Amino acid sequence: MRYVEEFRDPKAARALIARIAEVADAIGATKDEPVRIMEICGGHTHAIFRYGLDKLVHEGIEFIHGPGCPVCVLPMARVDECVEIAERPGVIFTTFGDAMRVPGTKGSLMQAKARGADVRMVYSPLDALELARRNPDREVVFFGLGFETTTPSTALTLLQAAREQIPNFSIFCNHITVPPPLKALLDDPWMMLDGFVGPGHVSMVIGVHAYDFIAADYGKPIVVAGFEPLDLLQSVLMVLEQIRYGRAEVENQYARVVPEHGNPISLKAIDEVYEPRPSFEWRGLGEIDASGLRIRPAFAAWDAEEKFGIGYAAGPRHVAEPEGCACGQVMTGRIKPTACPRFGAGCSPETPLGALMVSSEGACAAYWQYGGARVAAE
Amino acid sequence: MRYVEEFRDPKAARALIARIAEVADAIGATKDEPVRIMEICGGHTHAIFRYGLDKLVHEGIEFIHGPGCPVCVLPMARVDECVEIAERPGVIFTTFGDAMRVPGTKGSLMQAKARGADVRMVYSPLDALELARRNPDREVVFFGLGFETTTPSTALTLLQAAREQIPNFSIFCNHITVPPPLKALLDDPWMMLDGFVGPGHVSMVIGVHAYDFIAADYGKPIVVAGFEPLDLLQSVLMVLEQIRYGRAEVENQYARVVPEHGNPISLKAIDEVYEPRPSFEWRGLGEIDASGLRIRPAFAAWDAEEKFGIGYAAGPRHVAEPEGCACGQVMTGRIKPTACPRFGAGCSPETPLGALMVSSEGACAAYWQYGGARVAAE
Amino acid sequence: MCLGIPGRIVAITDEARQMAMADVSGVRREVSVACVVDGPLDALVGEWVLIHVGFAMSRINEDEAARTLDALRELGEAQEALDAMAEGAKSLEGMS
Amino acid sequence: MCLGIPGRIVAITDEARQMAMADVSGVRREVSVACVVDGPLDALVGEWVLIHVGFAMSRINEDEAARTLDALRELGEAQEALDAMAEGAKSLEGMS
Amino acid sequence: MKDGLRPARTLRDERVTLAHGGGGRAMRDLVESVFTAAFEPPGMEDQARLTSAALAEPGARLAFTTDSFVVTPVEFPGGDIGKLAVCGTVNDLAVGGARPLWLSAAFIIEEGCEVALLRRIAATMRAEADRAGVRIVTGDTKVVQRGAADRVYVTTSGVGVIPPGREMAAGNVRPGDVALVNGVLGDHGAAILAARGDLALSTDLQSDCASLDRLIEATLAAAPGLRCARDATRGGIASALNEIAEASALSIELDETALPLRPEVKGMCEILGLDPLYLANEGTLVAFVPEDQADAALAAMRALPEGAGAVAIGRAQAGEPGRVTMRTAFGGRRIVDMLVGEQLPRIC
Amino acid sequence: MKDGLRPARTLRDERVTLAHGGGGRAMRDLVESVFTAAFEPPGMEDQARLTSAALAEPGARLAFTTDSFVVTPVEFPGGDIGKLAVCGTVNDLAVGGARPLWLSAAFIIEEGCEVALLRRIAATMRAEADRAGVRIVTGDTKVVQRGAADRVYVTTSGVGVIPPGREMAAGNVRPGDVALVNGVLGDHGAAILAARGDLALSTDLQSDCASLDRLIEATLAAAPGLRCARDATRGGIASALNEIAEASALSIELDETALPLRPEVKGMCEILGLDPLYLANEGTLVAFVPEDQADAALAAMRALPEGAGAVAIGRAQAGEPGRVTMRTAFGGRRIVDMLVGEQLPRIC
Ligand code: SF4
Ligand code: SF4
Ligand SMILES: [Mg+2]
Ligand SMILES: [Mg+2]
Ligand SMILES: [Mg+2]
Ligand SMILES: [Mg+2]
Ligand SMILES: [Mg+2]
Ligand SMILES: [Mg+2]
Ligand SMILES: [Mg+2]
Ligand SMILES: [Mg+2]
Ligand SMILES: [Mg+2]
Ligand SMILES: [Mg+2]
């Protein structure tokens, strides 16, 4: 697999690991006083565990798993609204598979499906649009979920629906943006991060300068990274080098995919279709200003919130998170999943309490599945 | 079972059979020159075979099986129209079970169901109306089929739908009336009938005087009969007695159920909802004037012909009957089923060519199932 | 044609829609009594009716039923006497 | 977040809708190329793109990829040399 | 968990989702908590491993049968699909003279099916298996999309042993043999028709669903000449008799007055225009015995609750091979043919 | 007909209707014309009656297994539901060391199903049964309403004989034993995902669906110490290994670089975010052999087409009972847990 397998080369990995260790030692990182690097993106969390990178790198490097999983930060109230829409007669509710198992107070979409709702997994919003074309007597709703990487795809799909004037298609928009929660994290006085590995696929759309404030305003290094293990290791090394030499810059490890200024066509589509919401609720993080997108009034005909009078269109609604769930603290890097009192004691992938245990991107699920907590240290 | 089992008493049956034999001998009926009595009604045909009456009575009595089976006389074109309606998206097509297997050029309703049409068997038109109430987003069509016995039930159901203003219910009206085809039969110069056993359940609605013309104009005896074996035997005896004494009257053997003037409420409902069609096609008999009913324009909203622009509303349509099928000749008593060249040779209940082999009331099916042709004479 | 079966009205279930519960040998079904009402609905309870496709189409006339049955019964008894005579004749034959 | 995978455009399937067939290790899927067009669609055939939820989101920059890989390869070779030295040191140890 | 051990198997879900069919832990939870908990199979390999002294006896034969059960509704007066699935397969073994030993049970479950329903079904299966002295030793579960099944389907297969020298077969019937049934006809079919609800008929009828292995052993003990038996399931007694007539190349004549029928079954048949001879039974068999053993066979049947209503209903005759007829109450005679398709309720 | 004999069994219908499930003549037409015509079972009683010298051998055990097959689409590259149903049950017998002898086959058919499809399925079943040397000896068909099944479901049960002294079981695995697979992983699951069409992915992948009885006999001959084998069906190789680890109270370590995967399977997994270790296989097993017999076992497998791609993928170890881990390409180690529910395609 071109552009994939080259970046999984064990020889180069060993070299990077050795260099990381060198630099870690040079800057005095130790197990007890580690350098704390947040990989913002759940995809990076997943890769770290899949390849066991956390165990391979110097013990003075601690990965903090950030909030960059759109499924994990989805608040219960939004899941409930998905279920409500899906259970309306005549609706075909389409979603990425990730969202099927996230629990709300009325259960998950998978459970709604079992109760009779017509919930279908799709690979692409374009497939949902095609379903709408083929089922003119049904209302097809697409659960628009994701960060800037995914937003252009739903925007372009909506524009296509508008061009074809497909009346029975709408998007339940839950798109969110990466920079605002990072700002919130950095503003938290309790926070102690030394650097960031940035989500490469977000920057593929928005470019690298969206993170300038991290370096400029907060003095933290950030390296925009690809998703293969060598990408991650190289990015960690680049963060460490910045720390070693007292730099705080935005660097681009993933230049093969990420243009400095992002993708203008994608950005234009986002801007045409969406506008910022005043605020949006993040699971575990609460309401964050201007962190969510909504469909512009011009496209209200394809906005499921307007069509069904649900969600923010019906006034904000808050649902309490399950008792004892420490998702918020895990997501902000305050504790490791294993430190949550419910981890493995009531909360497991079979019976997830929080979204972090549901999504395969979630830190808790990753700890569970790949044994971050359970494989005996080598 | 009160009012049923008393009329199945073997002792009385033997007495009736003996009396029938006496009278038959007295009037000189023989196997070669039999008295030919038409039981008009398919229900009577069924009972004759179910109880083996044809074999038990004097060999000088020949039963001629009349056209009184609404399923048997249903022309292929109407079956095709049923299938067309049933195959429209959103339609729930409801029918009595009898009509499920009748073949049209597009197969039967059962085959349409197998291809995907939503065809449901109901016991009563009221059950179809209830389906319409419960499925407001579907069009529920009831296949109104039957003689005067059944017509009041669909009329009252339609009136109920109109009272409740149920918009998604309609009746595909195929109701027909008994007297016109009898007149047609009697006008046929080829016809050689000596008397009739009349359909009791029709007279329960229309009374006995509807048959006055048979006695008055054609000089043939007719006895309105019940459906239990003693009813039938007694009625045959009554016909024979009329013949013996040269009478031609309308007699009522079934007075426990049949009032002389029928049922005024039923007659009123029929008259309110239906009007005669100029003519209607009968399978095997062709078009017969004023032999069918249609829904009055005032109730067009519940008339499936109007709603779907099908059937007589779309102009009459004729479909040729299958080649070699002698249904018409069997139904007019010209030949016995076993004389049909296709009987058992291409036409059997498994692969029926004509409706007479499909309906369990049909003479061919009765011959087949109960062995009229196949049990060795005792 | 037109399967009909005697049943007994055991209860009125819906005055407005003229619906009643009928019993046929222990099988119960709600039927319309619209065609057989001629006074207060309650008066139908206990009555025998002829049922077709979910409608009570006719009330059964008990007197007429009895009349027909009596005639048949007489015939049956006469036949029995005849049968007995025939049997007697046969056994006499057997003796000869 | 945001699973993305490199694939190669092998054909244009719908000019009007800007759809193309992409190939990922022998798996083919129709994707939108709306985000990566900058000229005639046909020019995309043969190009490598990064695919996410049915959209080609970015063209892969072969030069940048090569640059990154070269750096990694150098590192790897340096490591190999180091490994060999370590191995040598170890076998020397073994001899002692 | 924190110690790395697997959690104890629990199933908290109220309804089955597609996750329970995925081959993972959710499926194991379902299987262990619902099915193996009830059946207690001997081991968890992909196949049961079994030994039986009876099977090893010289001349003994192995009997093997299968049936899928798809009844609607899944629970009905007198039983549920699980009871049917055990009785049906036990009976298909027993009517061949086999002693039932082991059953398999495979479940196709519709997404959304209530777990509590599955537990009830598993419990009745275990209870009925215990009653019949068989073990459910292996099984399977699959979950299909909503709308791709009707709550749950059960397929059972059965293995039994036919003791040496025992040879019951439809082809063994001889002219003069008497046809016996162990009880009333048509209860199951009529009860299901009513329970389905779409004809809005209600009755107090119960399915006759029962295991008949004990009845057959008792009948064999009393009437060792027992030629054959058939459980009169789909297609009713008429179909069973037609098959026997065909296999034996004889004719069978029934006596209408002898047929045991409940008033409710007659009533339902009159209302809907059905013939009770074609209604399904699930605990009723027809057996043929030599005339001189008929009384002994009937007495043995009647000594058991499942044979309390046993009567002779007709006999086999030479000639007219394959034909079943019925002598009607007043001396008529009519063919009792096989059903063509299924019986449809009719108005006329 | 005019002479009163039954018509020859013919089936002219193109599609199955409810009439074909009614227990009457239409059903017989379907069964005889489609299924018994293909399977040629020994007799038409309600149960097959069977004898086998192998079963009578002292110490021999009977193996019994069942599975329902509900795959969508019913026909797919590399096979159809019938081939799956035969291979799956043959394999569930074979992996326990049994020689498969007899199968039952029960069909649940959706109203409207094409008769031609059923004929094709019956033909592949017969062909695959012949290949595996088993006979389909008994069966059943049921027809359900449209929308109450997905064209056709097949449940097969299998009976086989485990020769005296042969004892393969997951609990027999010992530390140091080597885990072998007979070929590439995940082809079936990936081929079905693509064939289903709703993700609009197309590949040239074929299901690996195959009978493995011959392969197991050959492996046993070459490596008599063969501890156990499991076909890695639903839940993939990961689930099979977890079950073995648990049953043997050992841990198993896989070597990521040794896992045989086709590029297309890797591609599909990358696109959808799936893990090939959890993809279903239908002709792939994992077997454990003592280390000193591993090469002989591999050689024996590789001599057969269904084992041409055989490789060692890991080994059993003492400690951490029940755990399966994988050594990643550059030395990391991660747990390979059982799947929880089913793998869902993901975007992130
Ligand atoms: S273990 Fe469960 S409850 Fe605790 S933080 Fe993780 S997901 Fe939330
Ligand atoms: S045998 Fe068939 S073709 Fe001939 S008259 Fe009867 S139904 Fe018609
Ligand atoms: Mg069977
Ligand atoms: Mg059976
Ligand atoms: Mg049976
Ligand atoms: Mg299984
Ligand atoms: Mg259903
Ligand atoms: Mg199994
Ligand atoms: Mg299996
Ligand atoms: Mg298996
Ligand atoms: Mg069967
Ligand atoms: Mg379907």
Side-chain angles (χ1 to χ4, degrees), chain B residues 212-231:
Chain B
D212 284 351
F213 74 95
I214 294 179
D217 302 348
Y218 296 91
K220 301 286 181 194
I222 174 163
V223 176
V224 171
F227 291 80
E228 297 309 323
L230 293 192
D231 290 325

PDB file of all heavy atoms in Angstrom, chain B residues 212-231:
ATOM      1  N   ASP B 212     -89.604 -15.539  -8.839  1.00  0.00           N
ATOM      2  CA  ASP B 212     -90.947 -15.787  -9.370  1.00  0.00           C
ATOM      3  C   ASP B 212     -90.926 -16.015 -10.882  1.00  0.00           C
ATOM      4  O   ASP B 212     -91.650 -16.874 -11.408  1.00  0.00           O
ATOM      5  CB  ASP B 212     -91.881 -14.596  -9.048  1.00  0.00           C
ATOM      6  CG  ASP B 212     -92.319 -14.599  -7.581  1.00  0.00           C
ATOM      7  OD1 ASP B 212     -92.046 -15.613  -6.874  1.00  0.00           O
ATOM      8  OD2 ASP B 212     -92.910 -13.593  -7.140  1.00  0.00           O
ATOM      9  N   PHE B 213     -90.053 -15.278 -11.552  1.00  0.00           N
ATOM     10  CA  PHE B 213     -90.025 -15.389 -13.021  1.00  0.00           C
ATOM     11  C   PHE B 213     -89.664 -16.797 -13.490  1.00  0.00           C
ATOM     12  O   PHE B 213     -90.056 -17.224 -14.563  1.00  0.00           O
ATOM     13  CB  PHE B 213     -89.063 -14.347 -13.618  1.00  0.00           C
ATOM     14  CG  PHE B 213     -87.604 -14.679 -13.415  1.00  0.00           C
ATOM     15  CD1 PHE B 213     -86.885 -15.354 -14.407  1.00  0.00           C
ATOM     16  CD2 PHE B 213     -86.950 -14.330 -12.240  1.00  0.00           C
ATOM     17  CE1 PHE B 213     -85.538 -15.653 -14.230  1.00  0.00           C
ATOM     18  CE2 PHE B 213     -85.608 -14.635 -12.053  1.00  0.00           C
ATOM     19  CZ  PHE B 213     -84.909 -15.290 -13.044  1.00  0.00           C
ATOM     20  N   ILE B 214     -88.931 -17.503 -12.680  1.00  0.00           N
ATOM     21  CA  ILE B 214     -88.523 -18.861 -13.078  1.00  0.00           C
ATOM     22  C   ILE B 214     -89.754 -19.764 -13.176  1.00  0.00           C
ATOM     23  O   ILE B 214     -89.925 -20.532 -14.130  1.00  0.00           O
ATOM     24  CB  ILE B 214     -87.489 -19.426 -12.082  1.00  0.00           C
ATOM     25  CG1 ILE B 214     -86.204 -18.595 -12.171  1.00  0.00           C
ATOM     26  CG2 ILE B 214     -87.219 -20.902 -12.345  1.00  0.00           C
ATOM     27  CD1 ILE B 214     -85.102 -19.038 -11.227  1.00  0.00           C
ATOM     28  N   ALA B 215     -90.594 -19.626 -12.162  1.00  0.00           N
ATOM     29  CA  ALA B 215     -91.826 -20.425 -12.168  1.00  0.00           C
ATOM     30  C   ALA B 215     -92.835 -19.851 -13.151  1.00  0.00           C
ATOM     31  O   ALA B 215     -93.382 -20.575 -13.999  1.00  0.00           O
ATOM     32  CB  ALA B 215     -92.403 -20.466 -10.746  1.00  0.00           C
ATOM     33  N   ALA B 216     -93.033 -18.529 -13.038  1.00  0.00           N
ATOM     34  CA  ALA B 216     -94.109 -17.900 -13.808  1.00  0.00           C
ATOM     35  C   ALA B 216     -93.795 -17.876 -15.302  1.00  0.00           C
ATOM     36  O   ALA B 216     -94.624 -18.265 -16.130  1.00  0.00           O
ATOM     37  CB  ALA B 216     -94.365 -16.484 -13.288  1.00  0.00           C
ATOM     38  N   ASP B 217     -92.580 -17.410 -15.665  1.00  0.00           N
ATOM     39  CA  ASP B 217     -92.276 -17.182 -17.074  1.00  0.00           C
ATOM     40  C   ASP B 217     -91.719 -18.431 -17.765  1.00  0.00           C
ATOM     41  O   ASP B 217     -91.864 -18.599 -18.966  1.00  0.00           O
ATOM     42  CB  ASP B 217     -91.262 -16.045 -17.224  1.00  0.00           C
ATOM     43  CG  ASP B 217     -91.778 -14.751 -16.603  1.00  0.00           C
ATOM     44  OD1 ASP B 217     -92.986 -14.687 -16.272  1.00  0.00           O
ATOM     45  OD2 ASP B 217     -90.962 -13.823 -16.428  1.00  0.00           O
ATOM     46  N   TYR B 218     -91.003 -19.295 -16.992  1.00  0.00           N
ATOM     47  CA  TYR B 218     -90.339 -20.431 -17.631  1.00  0.00           C
ATOM     48  C   TYR B 218     -90.927 -21.763 -17.197  1.00  0.00           C
ATOM     49  O   TYR B 218     -90.509 -22.816 -17.665  1.00  0.00           O
ATOM     50  CB  TYR B 218     -88.840 -20.387 -17.341  1.00  0.00           C
ATOM     51  CG  TYR B 218     -88.160 -19.174 -17.939  1.00  0.00           C
ATOM     52  CD1 TYR B 218     -88.037 -17.992 -17.217  1.00  0.00           C
ATOM     53  CD2 TYR B 218     -87.669 -19.217 -19.249  1.00  0.00           C
ATOM     54  CE1 TYR B 218     -87.433 -16.886 -17.775  1.00  0.00           C
ATOM     55  CE2 TYR B 218     -87.052 -18.106 -19.811  1.00  0.00           C
ATOM     56  CZ  TYR B 218     -86.929 -16.937 -19.074  1.00  0.00           C
ATOM     57  OH  TYR B 218     -86.325 -15.855 -19.628  1.00  0.00           O
ATOM     58  N   GLY B 219     -91.826 -21.728 -16.248  1.00  0.00           N
ATOM     59  CA  GLY B 219     -92.514 -22.950 -15.828  1.00  0.00           C
ATOM     60  C   GLY B 219     -91.622 -23.977 -15.143  1.00  0.00           C
ATOM     61  O   GLY B 219     -91.835 -25.179 -15.238  1.00  0.00           O
ATOM     62  N   LYS B 220     -90.563 -23.478 -14.461  1.00  0.00           N
ATOM     63  CA  LYS B 220     -89.667 -24.427 -13.794  1.00  0.00           C
ATOM     64  C   LYS B 220     -89.840 -24.321 -12.277  1.00  0.00           C
ATOM     65  O   LYS B 220     -89.935 -23.220 -11.729  1.00  0.00           O
ATOM     66  CB  LYS B 220     -88.199 -24.098 -14.125  1.00  0.00           C
ATOM     67  CG  LYS B 220     -87.875 -24.135 -15.612  1.00  0.00           C
ATOM     68  CD  LYS B 220     -87.808 -25.546 -16.159  1.00  0.00           C
ATOM     69  CE  LYS B 220     -87.464 -25.500 -17.654  1.00  0.00           C
ATOM     70  NZ  LYS B 220     -87.695 -26.783 -18.314  1.00  0.00           N
ATOM     71  N   PRO B 221     -89.830 -25.447 -11.574  1.00  0.00           N
ATOM     72  CA  PRO B 221     -89.877 -25.412 -10.111  1.00  0.00           C
ATOM     73  C   PRO B 221     -88.539 -24.901  -9.556  1.00  0.00           C
ATOM     74  O   PRO B 221     -87.480 -25.185 -10.138  1.00  0.00           O
ATOM     75  CB  PRO B 221     -90.065 -26.881  -9.708  1.00  0.00           C
ATOM     76  CG  PRO B 221     -90.174 -27.662 -10.970  1.00  0.00           C
ATOM     77  CD  PRO B 221     -89.775 -26.797 -12.119  1.00  0.00           C
ATOM     78  N   ILE B 222     -88.616 -24.177  -8.439  1.00  0.00           N
ATOM     79  CA  ILE B 222     -87.405 -23.768  -7.735  1.00  0.00           C
ATOM     80  C   ILE B 222     -87.684 -23.796  -6.251  1.00  0.00           C
ATOM     81  O   ILE B 222     -88.710 -23.322  -5.788  1.00  0.00           O
ATOM     82  CB  ILE B 222     -86.885 -22.381  -8.203  1.00  0.00           C
ATOM     83  CG1 ILE B 222     -85.705 -21.935  -7.324  1.00  0.00           C
ATOM     84  CG2 ILE B 222     -87.999 -21.323  -8.200  1.00  0.00           C
ATOM     85  CD1 ILE B 222     -84.882 -20.816  -7.935  1.00  0.00           C
ATOM     86  N   VAL B 223     -86.736 -24.405  -5.518  1.00  0.00           N
ATOM     87  CA  VAL B 223     -86.850 -24.477  -4.063  1.00  0.00           C
ATOM     88  C   VAL B 223     -85.634 -23.797  -3.454  1.00  0.00           C
ATOM     89  O   VAL B 223     -84.491 -24.190  -3.724  1.00  0.00           O
ATOM     90  CB  VAL B 223     -86.935 -25.943  -3.584  1.00  0.00           C
ATOM     91  CG1 VAL B 223     -86.961 -25.999  -2.055  1.00  0.00           C
ATOM     92  CG2 VAL B 223     -88.167 -26.616  -4.178  1.00  0.00           C
ATOM     93  N   VAL B 224     -85.903 -22.753  -2.653  1.00  0.00           N
ATOM     94  CA  VAL B 224     -84.809 -22.050  -1.968  1.00  0.00           C
ATOM     95  C   VAL B 224     -84.350 -22.935  -0.815  1.00  0.00           C
ATOM     96  O   VAL B 224     -85.148 -23.320   0.044  1.00  0.00           O
ATOM     97  CB  VAL B 224     -85.300 -20.679  -1.463  1.00  0.00           C
ATOM     98  CG1 VAL B 224     -84.241 -20.043  -0.577  1.00  0.00           C
ATOM     99  CG2 VAL B 224     -85.630 -19.777  -2.647  1.00  0.00           C
ATOM    100  N   ALA B 225     -83.041 -23.244  -0.803  1.00  0.00           N
ATOM    101  CA  ALA B 225     -82.569 -24.319   0.070  1.00  0.00           C
ATOM    102  C   ALA B 225     -81.480 -23.858   1.034  1.00  0.00           C
ATOM    103  O   ALA B 225     -80.666 -22.992   0.712  1.00  0.00           O
ATOM    104  CB  ALA B 225     -82.017 -25.462  -0.786  1.00  0.00           C
ATOM    105  N   GLY B 226     -81.459 -24.523   2.201  1.00  0.00           N
ATOM    106  CA  GLY B 226     -80.346 -24.359   3.141  1.00  0.00           C
ATOM    107  C   GLY B 226     -79.145 -25.171   2.684  1.00  0.00           C
ATOM    108  O   GLY B 226     -79.179 -25.812   1.617  1.00  0.00           O
ATOM    109  N   PHE B 227     -78.085 -25.166   3.498  1.00  0.00           N
ATOM    110  CA  PHE B 227     -76.803 -25.694   3.037  1.00  0.00           C
ATOM    111  C   PHE B 227     -76.377 -26.996   3.682  1.00  0.00           C
ATOM    112  O   PHE B 227     -75.349 -27.548   3.364  1.00  0.00           O
ATOM    113  CB  PHE B 227     -75.733 -24.624   3.187  1.00  0.00           C
ATOM    114  CG  PHE B 227     -75.936 -23.506   2.222  1.00  0.00           C
ATOM    115  CD1 PHE B 227     -76.857 -22.497   2.458  1.00  0.00           C
ATOM    116  CD2 PHE B 227     -75.256 -23.507   1.015  1.00  0.00           C
ATOM    117  CE1 PHE B 227     -77.073 -21.487   1.540  1.00  0.00           C
ATOM    118  CE2 PHE B 227     -75.471 -22.503   0.091  1.00  0.00           C
ATOM    119  CZ  PHE B 227     -76.384 -21.489   0.348  1.00  0.00           C
ATOM    120  N   GLU B 228     -77.174 -27.462   4.642  1.00  0.00           N
ATOM    121  CA  GLU B 228     -76.838 -28.745   5.252  1.00  0.00           C
ATOM    122  C   GLU B 228     -77.381 -29.857   4.355  1.00  0.00           C
ATOM    123  O   GLU B 228     -78.290 -29.632   3.549  1.00  0.00           O
ATOM    124  CB  GLU B 228     -77.432 -28.816   6.652  1.00  0.00           C
ATOM    125  CG  GLU B 228     -76.854 -27.761   7.601  1.00  0.00           C
ATOM    126  CD  GLU B 228     -75.333 -27.763   7.604  1.00  0.00           C
ATOM    127  OE1 GLU B 228     -74.723 -28.849   7.508  1.00  0.00           O
ATOM    128  OE2 GLU B 228     -74.748 -26.658   7.680  1.00  0.00           O
ATOM    129  N   PRO B 229     -76.840 -31.039   4.505  1.00  0.00           N
ATOM    130  CA  PRO B 229     -77.252 -32.115   3.592  1.00  0.00           C
ATOM    131  C   PRO B 229     -78.760 -32.401   3.633  1.00  0.00           C
ATOM    132  O   PRO B 229     -79.359 -32.653   2.581  1.00  0.00           O
ATOM    133  CB  PRO B 229     -76.424 -33.318   4.057  1.00  0.00           C
ATOM    134  CG  PRO B 229     -75.753 -32.923   5.324  1.00  0.00           C
ATOM    135  CD  PRO B 229     -75.723 -31.445   5.361  1.00  0.00           C
ATOM    136  N   LEU B 230     -79.357 -32.330   4.826  1.00  0.00           N
ATOM    137  CA  LEU B 230     -80.819 -32.584   4.855  1.00  0.00           C
ATOM    138  C   LEU B 230     -81.560 -31.485   4.113  1.00  0.00           C
ATOM    139  O   LEU B 230     -82.577 -31.744   3.457  1.00  0.00           O
ATOM    140  CB  LEU B 230     -81.319 -32.668   6.305  1.00  0.00           C
ATOM    141  CG  LEU B 230     -80.840 -33.851   7.138  1.00  0.00           C
ATOM    142  CD1 LEU B 230     -81.649 -33.957   8.431  1.00  0.00           C
ATOM    143  CD2 LEU B 230     -80.936 -35.160   6.358  1.00  0.00           C
ATOM    144  N   ASP B 231     -81.097 -30.246   4.253  1.00  0.00           N
ATOM    145  CA  ASP B 231     -81.694 -29.144   3.512  1.00  0.00           C
ATOM    146  C   ASP B 231     -81.689 -29.459   2.026  1.00  0.00           C
ATOM    147  O   ASP B 231     -82.703 -29.310   1.328  1.00  0.00           O
ATOM    148  CB  ASP B 231     -80.901 -27.848   3.732  1.00  0.00           C
ATOM    149  CG  ASP B 231     -81.048 -27.279   5.142  1.00  0.00           C
ATOM    150  OD1 ASP B 231     -82.141 -27.403   5.736  1.00  0.00           O
ATOM    151  OD2 ASP B 231     -80.063 -26.706   5.636  1.00  0.00           O
TER     152      ASP B 231
END
